[in-house]
Amino acid sequence: MGSSHYCDILVLFYCGTTGDNSSELLGSDESDLVVIVWQLLDLNQNQTGDIHYIYVKPSNDFCLRKEWQKETNITSQTLENAPVFQDAIHQFEETLRNELNDQGRTCSFTLCTDGQCHLRQVLMPASVWSDTTLPEFCYSFFDLKKEFRLCCNSMETDAMEIYNENYADTRTPDSVQDMLNYLNIDVESFGTFGVDHVRRMGAVIQVLVSERYGHVFNAPERIVARLDTGPCMTSELVRDDTVIRARGLPWQASDHDVARFFKGLNIPRGGAALVLNPQGRRNGEALVRFENEEQRDLALLRHKHHMGNRYIEVYRATGDDFLKVATGTSCEAIHFLSKEGDAIVRMRGLPFTATSNEIIEFFGSDIPVVHSEEGVLFVKHPDGRPTGDAFVLFASEKTALAALGKHKQTLGKRYVEIFKSTAAEVQQVLSRHMTTPIIPTMPAPVPLILPNNQQTLMSPHAQISPAYQQPITPGCIRNCIRLRGMPYSATVEDIMNFLGELSLYILPNGIHMVLNQQGRPSGDAFIQLCSPEKAGIAGLDVSKGGCHKKHMGERYVEVFQCSGDEMNIVLMGGTLNRNGMMPPPGMAIVPPEPVPTAGSITAIPAPTAPATSPFIVQTPHGTLLMQPPVVSQPGIPTLQTLDLIQAQTLLAAPRTAIYTQPTFLPYAQYLPTPPVSPSSANPIPATTPIANLTSPNSAAPAGTNPATGAGIQVRLQGQL
């Protein structure tokens, strides 16, 4: 043989459970481990030792199936008197080392199993459930199936024919019995659960390491014992077949808890990423990346396994899904996460004047913060104002758990909330608060030519910096619908298929996909239709011929009828209720200036009901004219008539250039994109005329479509 074995002795290892014990599904049913069987095999002398086995007492409420007892010849009384898992592991290690010492020479050894499941899917999870520390040698092993394939690939054809002349199946053997048949070996069975399996493994290995084959065991597999919580970089290539999505996590779960749930499966650096909702709180999901496709498939077999009292759902995901959550654009987050430290906590509700030293003193010398002041990272708004949140780095998870004991204790005059955190959460939070939008903004709008008497509609607050997006046409007519709860992967085509025949009544560029604060789909959309009647039909329940709670893919979607004004108020952070419109936080409703009239048109008197009067939303940066519903009264022209007259006199009046500012967000920029709905023969111009600002029914200059929507993507901040 040209090279030597990795170790002197193989420990042939077998685990048996109370459930399915097939090599492919072992451990997938979360059954208890009840037997450990092993045998030593000297690779240099090609000799086997005695076979040992230990019964393990299962959980307190175990119940054995009669079929299983008949198959294994193990009774409930036998398991009742067996040692618990922790004691069984200690007994296994002690017996193993004593037998190695009897060899009379210094020997290195490595476990060898029939497939991946015995260690990764049974022994490792059992150690988590019983809170047992496994010996170090349990984290390295040879997979007999893989070693056999390697040997078969390197076999000479003549040598193979000697052994496989009676093996009819042309596929590579995938079970120990198939290997025996392939090699034309017969092993006597004694009917003892687990023992016969180990004897068959020994017979196969003895043939593989014989002079005829000369196979060398030189590259064992490794099981990662602890999670590396460092950051995942955006430059990393993440394959789709290595990622899963876990749902149903407890809200206080950390990335270490996720790693414990998947213990035995290797998670690369920064590979466990908890998902946050648009409010920055955990939504009970995590994206987890594994070392290879094989281990991803083993993770899928843990579908509906338990984390505490909760079962966790496990589904396939993509590399893009993982990168959206696990990576970020904040250099401060990457610098913070690159420091040594195994655990992170998040502090919320800090005084805005809090400093790093005050946080270090808050935890005290018994709970030391690693790297002193550099172990504290404050979260700030883009303008540098503190948010009241901070991330703190600790040397170990044990220290971080002690830090959680400070939850709701007072720092200054405020009590502080403390939670477990993760590297992915640091990336997500800082990327949302401290970095500029990833999607480039649209160019500044072209100045509009307006008559002098029209300046009173915006004066004295008309000089506002250009908006980053086109507006959704305001108005009181409820010809719009809101879709809520769409799949994140929904496209414009999906929306049109969802609406069916009603999609024929969508205004050109009238589909507005709503983005969350990260610039990604939020599951919401606003649709502008040609009439309130069509919007009302869409808002009906699906059982009544509408679209409300109709399914789009695997999710049902809620449909609500609304107006352009209501859309804008909601998108800026406002709310709607039975008492009328409520402006967003930080804004106030101020009385509108008189609306000019023309010719013999009588001015509209100020209505007495606040819920139906035109109003201006006063923001920290300027004003926004909003137009609630107006009820037509006898002898008084409606708003539609007034706007039409103003539009007709537009070209005849003296002209002055100003910028339109139909919507302005004081808290976050919208992330615009070009129109996404089907185009029309008369597409909407880059900016919306001011005549269209006051009503969707205003006439427009020649060459434009007065009923055209804005066709933008916007960020949702409020509720409808």
Side-chain angles (χ1 to χ4, degrees):
M1 291 181 291
S3 59
S4 60
H5 295 287
Y6 173 80
C7 58
D8 300 316
I9 291 177
L10 288 181
V11 180
L12 312 184
F13 186 81
Y14 176 87
C15 289
T17 71
T18 58
D20 191 333
N21 287 285
S22 62
S23 59
E24 297 82 9
L25 299 178
L26 180 64
S28 63
D29 51 10
E30 213 173 6
S31 299
D32 290 315
L33 171 66
V34 292
V35 64
I36 297 174
V37 185
W38 74 95
Q39 181 185 33
L40 301 187
L41 191 152
D42 192 322
L43 292 174
N44 296 320
Q45 301 180 13
N46 200 3
Q47 294 180 352
T48 58
D50 296 333
I51 296 180
H52 306 267
Y53 62 92
I54 299 175
Y55 291 122
V56 182
K57 184 178 180 179
S59 58
N60 295 328
D61 55 349
F62 75 93
C63 181
L64 302 180
R65 295 179 291 110
K66 292 183 179 180
E67 296 82 0
W68 185 88
Q69 294 185 58
K70 183 178 180 180
E71 179 183 347
T72 61
N73 293 322
I74 299 176
T75 64
S76 299
Q77 187 64 36
T78 300
L79 297 181
E80 187 67 36
N81 298 328
V84 296
F85 178 81
Q86 186 175 17
D87 295 337
I89 290 297
H90 291 162
Q91 185 176 340
F92 162 60
E93 181 180 12
E94 182 179 0
T95 305
L96 175 61
R97 295 193 181 278
N98 289 337
E99 187 174 4
L100 290 171
N101 292 334
D102 293 340
Q103 297 291 323
R105 56 189 174 93
T106 302
C107 299
S108 59
F109 67 95
T110 305
L111 300 184
C112 180
T113 62
D114 172 26
Q116 302 279 311
C117 294
H118 294 272
L119 289 177
R120 295 190 186 275
Q121 297 286 74
V122 178
L123 192 69
M124 295 296 163
S127 69
V128 174
W129 302 333
S130 61
D131 194 22
T132 300
T133 301
L134 294 174
E136 186 176 353
F137 61 78
C138 291
Y139 293 89
S140 176
F141 71 102
F142 286 100
D143 183 346
L144 179 57
K145 291 182 179 179
K146 293 183 179 180
E147 297 297 325
F148 189 86
R149 294 191 189 102
L150 289 174
C151 185
C152 287
N153 291 336
S154 61
M155 285 180 186
E156 296 181 3
T157 305
D158 294 339
M160 288 176 55
E161 292 176 352
I162 298 176
Y163 289 96
N164 67 358
E165 57 184 3
N166 295 325
Y167 186 72
D169 198 336
T170 58
R171 298 174 300 173
T172 302
D174 200 36
S175 69
V176 174
Q177 188 58 53
D178 286 344
M179 297 177 196
L180 292 174
N181 295 338
Y182 191 89
L183 298 172
N184 196 21
I185 300 174
D186 186 22
V187 177
E188 184 180 0
S189 176
F190 292 94
T192 306
F193 181 53
V195 172
D196 290 336
H197 193 90
V198 169
R199 293 180 67 251
R200 289 193 289 267
M201 288 175 60
V204 171
I205 295 175
Q206 284 186 296
V207 173
L208 296 185
V209 299
S210 64
E211 293 184 1
R212 180 177 295 276
Y213 287 99
H215 182 68
V216 178
F217 288 79
N218 58 5
E221 295 197 35
R222 308 287 181 181
I223 298 176
V224 176
R226 55 189 292 273
L227 177 67
D228 188 344
T229 57
C232 177
M233 308 305 293
T234 55
S235 59
E236 293 188 39
L237 176 63
V238 180
R239 294 171 48 189
D240 290 345
D241 57 10
T242 62
V243 181
I244 62 94
R245 181 185 298 272
R247 292 179 179 171
L249 299 171
W251 67 268
Q252 73 274 26
S254 68
D255 51 355
H256 288 279
D257 296 319
V258 174
R260 276 192 290 269
F261 177 80
F262 290 109
K263 186 173 182 181
L265 308 178
N266 295 350
I267 300 176
R269 177 183 175 90
L274 299 180
V275 183
L276 305 183
N277 62 21
Q279 289 72 41
R281 300 177 184 272
R282 297 171 188 170
N283 65 359
E285 294 188 3
L287 275 300
V288 187
R289 172 193 179 193
F290 295 97
E291 200 171 71
N292 51 48
E293 181 182 4
E294 179 184 39
Q295 295 185 42
R296 191 284 308 264
D297 292 342
L298 291 176
L300 293 173
L301 293 177
R302 299 195 188 185
H303 179 60
K304 291 195 174 182
H305 283 203
H306 288 76
M307 180 184 292
N309 295 325
R310 298 175 64 100
Y311 71 82
I312 308 300
E313 299 175 340
V314 183
Y315 303 98
R316 288 179 173 85
T318 66
D320 286 342
D321 293 337
F322 176 80
L323 289 174
K324 288 176 182 178
V325 175
T327 62
T329 58
S330 172
C331 295
E332 292 188 67
I334 295 174
H335 179 70
F336 175 76
L337 296 171
S338 63
K339 302 179 185 297
E340 292 184 2
D342 283 348
I344 306 170
V345 301
R346 180 178 181 180
M347 304 181 72
R348 193 164 61 199
L350 292 168
F352 294 146
T353 57
T355 64
S356 298
N357 284 330
E358 289 176 341
I359 290 179
I360 293 173
E361 293 175 0
F362 174 78
F363 288 110
S365 58
D366 294 337
I367 310 175
V369 177
V370 296
H371 306 292
S372 188
E373 295 184 13
E374 293 187 356
V376 179
L377 177 62
F378 289 99
V379 183
K380 299 179 181 179
H381 291 292
D383 59 3
R385 293 180 295 109
T387 64
D389 283 27
F391 293 97
V392 186
L393 197 60
F394 294 97
S396 65
E397 190 175 4
K398 181 178 180 180
T399 308
L401 291 175
L404 297 179
K406 295 276 188 176
H407 182 60
K408 290 195 174 183
Q409 292 191 16
T410 303
L411 177 60
K413 295 183 179 180
R414 302 187 64 174
Y415 76 85
V416 180
E417 297 175 296
I418 303 177
F419 309 95
K420 294 179 182 178
S421 187
T422 67
E425 183 174 358
V426 176
Q427 295 267 30
Q428 293 177 74
V429 171
L430 266 74
S431 294
R432 291 181 181 182
H433 286 87
M434 303 177 67
T435 58
T436 56
I438 298 174
I439 303 176
T441 57
M442 296 288 284
V446 178
L448 295 178
I449 307 301
L450 300 176
N452 283 335
N453 61 356
Q454 291 291 327
Q455 297 182 54
T456 56
L457 291 176
M458 299 290 289
S459 178
H461 305 282
Q463 302 304 321
I464 304 174
S465 59
Y468 280 102
Q469 67 167 56
Q470 298 175 357
I472 294 175
T473 307
C476 60
I477 300 178
R478 296 172 63 83
N479 65 327
C480 307
I481 57 173
R482 177 187 180 185
L483 306 186
R484 185 170 68 185
M486 299 188 303
Y488 295 137
S489 59
T491 63
V492 173
E493 288 73 18
D494 294 331
I495 292 176
M496 297 185 71
N497 292 333
F498 172 81
L499 293 176
E501 294 183 358
L502 292 173
S503 63
L504 301 175
Y505 303 99
I506 299 175
L507 297 182
N509 299 325
I511 296 180
H512 308 275
M513 306 293 286
V514 181
L515 306 181
N516 62 22
Q517 294 181 354
Q518 290 179 295
R520 303 185 185 109
S522 67
D524 283 35
F526 284 104
I527 316 296
Q528 293 176 284
L529 302 176
C530 65
S531 67
E533 291 76 19
K534 299 301 180 184
I537 294 174
L540 294 176
D541 191 83
V542 65
S543 61
K544 299 180 180 179
C547 298
H548 182 59
K549 293 193 175 181
K550 180 180 177 181
H551 277 74
M552 182 184 296
E554 297 181 353
R555 303 186 64 175
Y556 74 83
V557 179
E558 298 174 291
V559 182
F560 306 98
Q561 185 180 9
C562 61
S563 68
D565 280 348
E566 292 169 344
M567 291 164 64
N568 279 310
I569 283 290
V570 170
L571 292 170
M572 289 190 301
T575 57
L576 290 173
N577 53 41
R578 300 191 179 202
N579 297 324
M581 298 183 185
M582 299 294 295
M587 299 182 181
I589 297 178
V590 297
E593 296 185 14
V595 179
T597 60
S600 59
I601 301 299
T602 305
I604 300 176
T608 57
T612 60
S613 61
F615 62 89
I616 296 176
V617 175
Q618 179 69 44
T619 79
H621 306 277
T623 58
L624 169 63
L625 179 65
M626 303 303 295
Q627 184 62 59
V630 175
V631 181
S632 177
Q633 301 181 25
I636 299 178
T638 63
L639 184 62
Q640 179 178 2
T641 305
L642 175 63
D643 289 337
L644 180 59
I645 294 173
Q646 291 172 348
Q648 291 171 345
T649 60
L650 180 63
L651 299 178
R655 298 182 295 179
T656 303
I658 66 170
Y659 286 99
T660 58
Q661 179 65 11
T663 55
F664 192 93
L665 299 181
Y667 305 113
Q669 294 177 329
Y670 285 170
L671 305 178
T673 65
V676 293
S677 58
S679 59
S680 64
N682 298 315
I684 191 168
T687 53
T688 303
I690 193 66
N692 285 346
L693 177 63
T694 57
S695 172
N697 302 306
S698 303
T704 62
N705 186 343
T708 300
I712 55 174
Q713 289 187 338
V714 292
R715 174 177 292 163
L716 179 64
Q717 288 189 296
Q719 296 294 328
L720 182 61

